[in-house]
Amino acid sequence: MWDEATGSAWSHLDGVALAGPLEGEQLRVLPLQTTTWEAWVAEHPGTTVPSIDTGRSYRRVSLGRAGISGTFRDTLDGIDPRLPENELVIGVLAGDGAAAFPIEAAAGAPMQGAVSGVPIVVLEDAGGIPSLAYHRALSDGRVLDFEHGPGAGSGEGIVDVQTGSRWSSAGLALEGELAGVQLTFVTSFLTEWYGWAAFHPETAIYDPDA
């Protein structure tokens, strides 16, 4: 990808300018969920939808579909065999470490642990699909643990063990003792394994049984 203002070419996975006047610049990573319309509107019923009638052409993208195009495959030194090449993962960068959290590993409890010493949790959308990673430590030093279940209020979903507060997929406490508290976003996004491992060959892989 390149920007129209300077013509600089950008890495699509980590937001670094690879060539051009802005070579070496790093874009700030913002939290952006990949989710379904049903799950999104369940959490945000007042959502509006922008028009795609912009004069540009758009195409459908099928994440997780088997196969890699020849164009992409030719840029890879190899395929990391630890996971299927198109397996969907939440890639997380924290401290000086990288970790992949396979979507299919989310069963029974939110995926959580530490990446390079940073305690994180991968929160889920209203449909139960893992979304983004957030720091589990609060400003007062408490480190939360998360589970599925009824909250301290009226709702069910993801709650923290320590207070029973219920949390949204955006890291916001919706009800309970911590209502209104916002967890800190940790650089993370949904991607396919082959790309994540190519950019971060040293990546760890979340193991729910570890």
Side-chain angles (χ1 to χ4, degrees):
M1 298 186 290
W2 63 90
D3 70 79
E4 295 177 343
T6 73
S8 300
W10 297 83
S11 161
H12 69 284
L13 197 66
D14 61 8
V16 173
L18 303 174
L22 298 179
E23 181 176 354
E25 290 290 326
Q26 169 75 61
L27 296 176
R28 183 163 64 98
V29 179
L30 298 175
L32 178 65
Q33 288 183 244
T34 301
T35 185
T36 63
W37 170 247
E38 179 181 18
W40 177 264
V41 80
E43 286 195 25
H44 309 281
T47 293
T48 57
V49 182
S51 170
I52 61 172
D53 185 16
T54 63
R56 296 176 178 268
S57 60
Y58 300 91
R59 63 183 177 87
R60 285 188 177 276
V61 176
S62 299
L63 287 175
R65 182 178 58 188
I68 305 173
S69 72
T71 301
F72 279 120
R73 192 176 290 276
D74 289 345
T75 68
L76 301 174
D77 292 330
I79 303 293
D80 190 318
R82 289 181 290 167
L83 291 175
E85 58 190 29
N86 296 104
E87 182 155 349
L88 293 177
V89 301
I90 302 296
V92 178
L93 297 175
D96 59 358
F101 289 72
I103 294 295
E104 293 185 355
M111 295 185 289
Q112 55 197 314
V115 179
S116 194
V118 178
I120 68 102
V121 59
V122 177
L123 296 176
E124 303 166 2
D125 65 20
I129 304 300
S131 180
L132 295 171
Y134 291 87
H135 205 303
R136 291 191 288 125
L138 301 177
S139 59
D140 62 8
R142 284 184 291 174
V143 177
L144 301 178
D145 299 297
F146 292 84
E147 64 183 4
H148 294 140
S154 59
E156 294 192 8
I158 293 180
V159 299
D160 68 79
V161 175
Q162 284 74 15
T163 74
S165 300
R166 185 168 64 89
W167 298 81
S168 76
S169 62
L172 177 66
L174 301 174
E175 57 184 22
E177 176 187 326
L178 299 176
V181 171
Q182 173 66 59
L183 298 179
T184 301
F185 170 67
V186 175
T187 297
S188 53
F189 42 81
L190 177 70
T191 185
E192 292 178 304
W193 166 249
Y194 79 86
W196 177 258
F199 273 80
H200 304 287
E202 77 290 352
T203 186
I205 300 174
Y206 171 74
D207 181 357
D209 299 319

